[in-house]
Amino acid sequence: MVMPWWLLLIFLKHSSKVTPDSFSYSNADEWKDAFPMCGGPMQSPISLKPNRLTLSRTPKLKFADGLEDGEIEAVNTGREIKLKLRPRNRDEPLVQLISFSKPMVGVYTLAQMHFHWGPEPRSPGSEHAISDKFTDAEAHFVFFNNRYGNFKEAVRHFDGLLVLGVMLHGSDDEQQFMFPTLGMETQLDSISVPGRRLIINSDLNSFRTLLRRAVSKFFSYHGSLTTPPCNPVVSWMVSAKTIPVSNAFLNNVRTKIYEDESKKGLLVKNRRPVQPQLGRVVTQHISIG
Ligand SMILES: [Zn+2]
């Protein structure tokens, strides 16, 4: 039985701890026992099969000044590699996204981005699938709705977050545009265990190219965080364009990042299985400029 709305609202109101310590990807089916919203409606990820087509204005991206003098802070959280992207020495978000599409009309600020991946080449690594096809990895750009001021408050509201998912596939073809990893692949040893942090100074303008491509053609639907407590507060935008990422990056992510301090377990397969669509609308957006 699907959880009734009134109960969901109570859970949402009281969900303050955003990243609980006590969950594992090996028993994702049991998350709902400790985190009831994970067993509720509107869960993510899903296999995207659009049942609505719409012509819509491309979301506008407003980047911070001084991206050529940028900084990436990468952290191993034990569940993912999380990145903060910002102009150097300024605690200013990299980008704001202005969406003109219903129901996620609004202005959103980038809070962080992170990756999900699989254990080996050609094993599913993305969380979403497009028509049942998974890719090697998926990047999530997590934005909060400016209406709520910050991420922590936003996760308590149904229209609180917008997450832009970018499906990634491994490639060695350096002639084409690649997902900007900015040399991170050679420094992953320094964040091999949870809690470690890595700072890279770099020109972040390549994220401008990446994000513009990602929002030019996309799917949208209403869903949830894909980790406990699984708040159903996410307007998902998943790019219809799969972006190549270097195989060197994927190989090092799969073999150098551990989920625990004692290096017992490599962090691989940090992806939640697809969830039932349960009558939700999945829209394919065709840009009209
Ligand atoms: Zn994610």
Side-chain angles (χ1 to χ4, degrees):
M1 199 188 91
V2 172
M3 184 191 300
W5 273 95
W6 60 268
L7 189 55
L8 192 61
L9 284 169
I10 290 172
F11 284 125
L12 206 50
K13 190 160 180 286
H14 295 281
S15 66
S16 52
K17 202 163 183 225
V18 179
T19 47
D21 306 322
S22 51
F23 78 90
S24 159
Y25 279 102
S26 60
N27 65 350
D29 290 346
E30 292 163 24
W31 288 355
K32 59 181 184 303
D33 300 342
F35 308 102
M37 285 188 288
C38 300
M42 295 184 296
Q43 291 296 290
S44 293
I46 61 170
S47 179
L48 296 154
K49 291 170 187 159
N51 48 21
R52 183 169 161 255
L53 191 68
T54 184
L55 301 176
S56 60
R57 225 177 122 188
T58 307
K60 197 172 156 192
L61 296 164
K62 220 174 126 195
F63 288 87
D65 292 332
L67 288 194
E68 57 286 346
D69 208 13
E71 181 177 279
I72 292 186
E73 181 185 346
V75 182
N76 174 351
T77 68
R79 302 260 160 54
E80 64 201 3
I81 298 172
K82 187 158 93 180
L83 304 184
K84 285 195 175 154
L85 308 161
R86 58 194 171 221
R88 199 174 305 167
N89 303 324
R90 297 212 310 270
D91 201 10
E92 193 183 323
L94 176 87
V95 62
Q96 296 205 325
L97 184 152
I98 300 142
S99 167
F100 306 101
S101 311
K102 283 180 193 165
M104 66 259 201
V105 175
V107 183
Y108 299 83
T109 298
L110 183 68
Q112 49 106 329
M113 73 142 301
H114 59 265
F115 298 98
H116 301 267
W117 61 87
E120 57 204 29
R122 284 176 296 282
S123 62
S126 59
E127 291 206 302
H128 287 92
I130 298 178
S131 299
D132 294 333
K133 285 199 181 68
F134 295 95
T135 62
D136 292 317
E138 185 171 335
H140 286 160
F141 291 84
V142 181
F143 294 81
F144 63 82
N145 192 332
N146 280 13
R147 176 183 298 175
Y148 302 116
N150 59 55
F151 177 80
K152 214 175 154 194
E153 180 58 28
V155 294
R156 292 150 53 92
H157 301 271
F158 277 99
D159 57 351
L161 300 183
L162 184 150
V163 183
L164 171 63
V166 180
M167 314 278 278
L168 304 172
H169 69 270
S171 172
D172 290 319
D173 179 5
E174 287 169 13
Q175 299 304 311
Q176 60 185 335
F177 176 79
M178 293 267 211
F179 187 96
T181 54
L182 309 177
M184 205 167 38
E185 57 271 30
T186 61
Q187 300 186 56
L188 291 176
D189 279 324
S190 64
I191 54 166
S192 60
V193 297
R196 293 283 167 79
R197 232 161 257 272
L198 165 68
I199 305 272
I200 296 176
N201 292 326
S202 185
D203 184 341
L204 300 182
N205 274 298
S206 41
F207 280 95
R208 201 188 283 264
T209 314
L210 170 80
L211 293 173
R212 282 197 177 139
R213 273 181 202 215
V215 300
S216 65
K217 197 177 173 199
F218 64 93
F219 303 102
S220 73
Y221 76 100
H222 193 87
S224 71
L225 301 176
T226 65
T227 53
C230 307
N231 304 29
V233 298
V234 180
S235 295
W236 276 96
M237 283 177 67
V238 180
S239 179
K241 292 188 176 173
T242 299
I243 304 284
V245 64
S246 80
N247 278 321
F249 175 74
L250 288 176
N251 290 339
N252 286 352
V253 162
R254 292 177 184 125
T255 54
K256 292 186 187 297
I257 303 295
Y258 289 84
E259 60 185 1
D260 58 298
E261 189 71 33
S262 56
K263 293 194 173 182
K264 275 201 203 104
L266 277 170
L267 179 60
V268 285
K269 225 177 162 186
N270 56 348
R271 47 189 293 276
R272 187 187 193 193
V274 290
Q275 303 294 306
Q277 189 172 327
L278 299 175
R280 278 177 286 179
V281 175
V282 177
T283 305
Q284 179 163 10
H285 294 257
I286 306 291
S287 171
I288 49 166

